[in-house]
Amino acid sequence: MERLRAAGCVFADEEARLIAEAAGADAGTREALLRRRLAGEPLEVVVGWAEFAGLRIPVAPGVFVPRRRTELLARLAIARTPRAGTVVDLCCGSGAIAAAVAHARPDVTVIAADIDPRAVALASGTLAAYGATAVVSDMDGALGALHGRVDLVASCPPYVPSARIALMPREAREHEPRIALDGGLDGADLQRESLAAAARLLGTGGVAVVETSEDLASLTLQMAEAAGLVAVVERDADLGATAVVASR
Ligand SMILES: C[S@@+](CC[C@H](N)C(=O)[O-])C[C@H]1O[C@@H](n2cnc3c(N)ncnc32)[C@H](O)[C@@H]1O
């Protein structure tokens, strides 16, 4: 714990406890995990899981660590999906949103998709336990069979403007893939693609929920409307979360 505190870890006590739990009884494993953390790897990657919507979601090196703010999307998806409906988690990363929805709504069919095969391999293993699946897909490229048949699309695409990546915390810059962070010049490129994909996937009355930032919210709203959807902004101050909810 002293080494974590000296390295500047704000929650050194808690981190030491979680590292000890992940290592089990083996002192060599504990030392190896501690060294990885001291070298700057995200705690979640070191211990192998992230807490999300009350679940322990497996995480792995090279895959985006799910953030607590994204629980807003899971909550909206759980509340807005009709009975026995179909949900697509676009840009699923570890599959955290899909897992939370499938866990809370066993009546619903959940399909997750991501362009990164490493993320899909991780998500597939996690989602199997919840009766959900994951596929490699550039947005909805591999989901043509679902066009017009989906009740809810949840999406947390990358939305950091390219020039701001250099200002992100070191943990993200050095340990998360650029493809999971970089939203292009204004940050909105992948949101635009997600909303266009959602407009193709959703059936009549379907809903898309897309994570955004306060800076981008009005642009995300405009893009949803340009994709033919009727959109509002939802916020959760406790989570520091902003989302656009767009209906067909
Ligand atoms: C910010 S991460 C979010 C991951 C996950 N939804 C979460 O909340 O933890 C964005 C994800 O989008 C994926 N991605 C980037 N471009 C994509 C594209 N064109 N099609 C599908 N997925 C993409 C990345 O691989 C990454 O896993």
Side-chain angles (χ1 to χ4, degrees):
M1 182 180 49
E2 294 313 322
R3 287 156 76 194
L4 288 165
R5 186 166 291 133
C9 293
V10 180
F11 302 107
D13 292 11
E14 179 65 358
E15 293 208 8
R17 189 183 69 72
L18 292 171
I19 287 170
E21 181 197 296
D26 185 61
T29 304
R30 188 164 63 239
E31 178 62 19
L33 295 185
L34 184 58
R35 285 187 184 194
R36 284 173 57 193
R37 180 64 185 133
L38 292 170
E41 266 191 79
L43 176 69
E44 293 86 348
V45 177
V46 171
V47 300
W49 58 273
E51 187 180 341
F52 186 87
L55 304 176
R56 281 191 173 192
I57 302 294
V59 296
V63 177
F64 185 84
V65 175
R67 310 299 205 259
R68 296 297 298 273
R69 63 174 172 268
T70 306
E71 291 179 6
L72 174 60
L73 289 196
R75 205 166 68 215
L76 290 165
I78 290 163
R80 301 289 295 260
T81 304
R83 176 144 189 81
T86 300
V87 171
V88 169
D89 176 3
L90 274 183
C91 303
C92 69
S94 65
I97 300 169
V101 175
H103 174 72
R105 293 286 309 273
D107 59 300
V108 160
T109 301
V110 180
I111 301 116
D114 197 286
I115 198 169
D116 182 349
R118 283 176 307 179
V120 172
L122 178 67
S124 292
T126 301
L127 293 174
Y130 300 102
T133 53
V135 294
V136 176
S137 180
D138 183 352
M139 289 300 162
D140 60 332
L143 303 177
L146 291 175
H147 282 181
R149 300 175 52 197
V150 173
D151 298 290
L152 191 130
V153 173
S155 183
C156 176
Y159 57 84
V160 180
S162 304
R164 295 229 192 122
I165 304 272
L167 308 176
M168 293 185 77
R170 194 177 142 217
E171 282 185 19
R173 270 187 288 117
E174 293 186 2
H175 294 281
E176 292 184 308
R178 182 131 189 154
I179 197 172
L181 305 174
D182 192 342
L185 193 62
D186 63 1
D189 286 359
L190 280 300
Q191 290 184 339
R192 190 176 295 104
E193 286 187 29
S194 283
L195 285 158
R200 292 186 288 268
L201 287 165
L202 293 174
T204 306
V207 177
V209 293
V210 179
E211 184 167 304
T212 190
S213 62
E214 274 309 303
D215 286 353
L216 278 182
S218 60
L219 180 55
T220 316
L221 194 77
Q222 283 170 33
M223 293 188 303
E225 285 172 352
L229 305 169
V230 177
V232 295
V233 177
E234 290 265 350
R235 295 181 173 84
D236 182 315
D238 293 337
L239 291 173
T242 309
V244 164
V245 179
S247 310
R248 189 146 226 267

